[in-house]
Amino acid sequence: MQQIAESELIINDRGAIYHLDVKPEEIAENIITVGDPARVEEVSKHFDKIEFKRHHREFVTHTGFIGDKRISVVSTGIGPDNIDIVLNELDALVNINFESRTINAVLKQLNVIRIGTSGSLQADVPVDSFVAASHGLGVDNLLNFYLHENNEEEKQIIHYFKTQTQLQSTFGDPYISSASMHLLKHFVDGYHQGITVTCPGFYGPQGRVLRLGIAYPNLIDQLTTFRFGDHRITNFEMETSAIYGLGKALHHHCVSLNAIIANRIQKNFSKDSPALIEKLIVKSLEIISDKL
């Protein structure tokens, strides 16, 4: 089997993957991703035991146990570009032999659960609620750099999204990927479900106006009013579509859980977002440790 070149798979002096600075034995098959590096400890403080702690740039990794369930929590930083690094390197850690630089004959499937924050795009998905994303719809273009396939439902949703919003003429080519039903089925009680849109920025790409005018002032209305059958867009943020798209292409199970800290329709913001995020962490860890 052909070796992967040193320039493509970068391994540091301690035998760890380049950006995460994690070795294969230091990562679990159940992985929680968070955007904020400080949030890693907010998750791992609930572990019964912590085996490894690594920190390189914005990427912090803690691996440990809740009971006999081994879990890693990894910070990604903000945005689809960072997700490109994290998902590819997590896959490399479990599916590439670092000594021979070849792909393993038997591939592992990771469970990747994002715990993050988001803004609601529906009046009935209020601040301080939770969303489990049924789909990640990207207007960031990341997945367009990879070979990927859609099922028939995904093809129909993205076709109607492009037709209804005409966003492809401004933002390139939107894409969509579904959550893993293997994971999503566990996150129903207490979670809204819907399409999460992923944007490549926080201000203009999410329709915010400070000093700069924006090219698409009707963005919020277009996203809020989109419908395809029972599907609607519930919220938007900056990571989910990249996680779902890369995860699906690499054959991992992914789900994105969002604490709603802002409602762009009601124009309000959570009064205590740290408490809300803590509630989502505890609720999600209970499911992960019991069901996965």
Side-chain angles (χ1 to χ4, degrees), residues 169-187:
S169 63
T170 304
F171 297 135
D173 193 18
Y175 64 89
I176 194 168
S177 290
S178 304
S180 166
M181 289 306 301
H182 171 75
L183 296 182
L184 185 63
K185 67 183 180 182
H186 299 300
F187 299 93

Side-chain angles (χ1 to χ4, degrees), residues 80 84 136-150 158 161-162 167-168 170-177 198 200 241-242 244-246 249:
D84 181 59
L137 195 160
V139 294
D140 57 274
N141 275 329
L142 174 65
L143 206 64
N144 295 324
F145 288 88
Y146 293 95
L147 298 175
H148 65 281
E149 296 181 356
N150 286 125
I158 202 65
F161 178 80
K162 292 176 183 179
L167 289 180
Q168 74 273 19
T170 304
F171 297 135
D173 193 18
Y175 64 89
I176 194 168
S177 290
T198 294
S241 68
Y244 281 14
L246 291 173

Side-chain angles (χ1 to χ4, degrees), residues 1-4 95-97 100-107:
M1 187 175 291
Q2 185 175 359
Q3 286 190 332
I4 300 171
N95 286 322
I96 295 176
N97 185 308
S100 66
R101 293 182 167 273
T102 58
I103 298 171
N104 295 336
V106 178
L107 301 178

Side-chain angles (χ1 to χ4, degrees), residues 87-228:
L87 262 291
N88 275 291
E89 292 197 357
L90 288 175
D91 178 77
L93 285 165
V94 297
N95 286 322
I96 295 176
N97 185 308
F98 279 21
E99 293 185 5
S100 66
R101 293 182 167 273
T102 58
I103 298 171
N104 295 336
V106 178
L107 301 178
K108 293 182 178 180
Q109 289 184 295
L110 299 170
N111 293 322
V112 180
I113 301 98
R114 175 185 184 266
I115 296 179
T117 58
S118 185
S120 171
L121 290 168
Q122 301 294 336
D124 63 342
V125 181
V127 162
D128 297 333
S129 64
F130 301 143
V131 171
S134 62
H135 300 77
L137 195 160
V139 294
D140 57 274
N141 275 329
L142 174 65
L143 206 64
N144 295 324
F145 288 88
Y146 293 95
L147 298 175
H148 65 281
E149 296 181 356
N150 286 125
N151 61 35
E152 285 305 312
E153 182 189 57
E154 292 167 344
K155 289 177 182 177
Q156 291 183 50
I157 293 173
I158 202 65
H159 170 74
Y160 278 89
F161 178 80
K162 292 176 183 179
T163 301
Q164 289 184 35
T165 65
Q166 296 296 307
L167 289 180
Q168 74 273 19
S169 63
T170 304
F171 297 135
D173 193 18
Y175 64 89
I176 194 168
S177 290
S178 304
S180 166
M181 289 306 301
H182 171 75
L183 296 182
L184 185 63
K185 67 183 180 182
H186 299 300
F187 299 93
V188 175
D189 186 25
Y191 299 86
H192 297 274
Q193 290 195 0
I195 299 171
T196 296
V197 166
T198 294
C199 303
F202 183 78
Y203 289 97
Q206 294 187 23
R208 290 182 171 90
V209 178
L210 299 182
R211 286 206 319 118
L212 286 176
I214 56 176
Y216 207 85
N218 296 322
L219 174 65
I220 299 296
D221 289 341
Q222 291 281 41
L223 298 180
T224 300
T225 57
F226 170 76
R227 295 290 186 278
F228 174 71

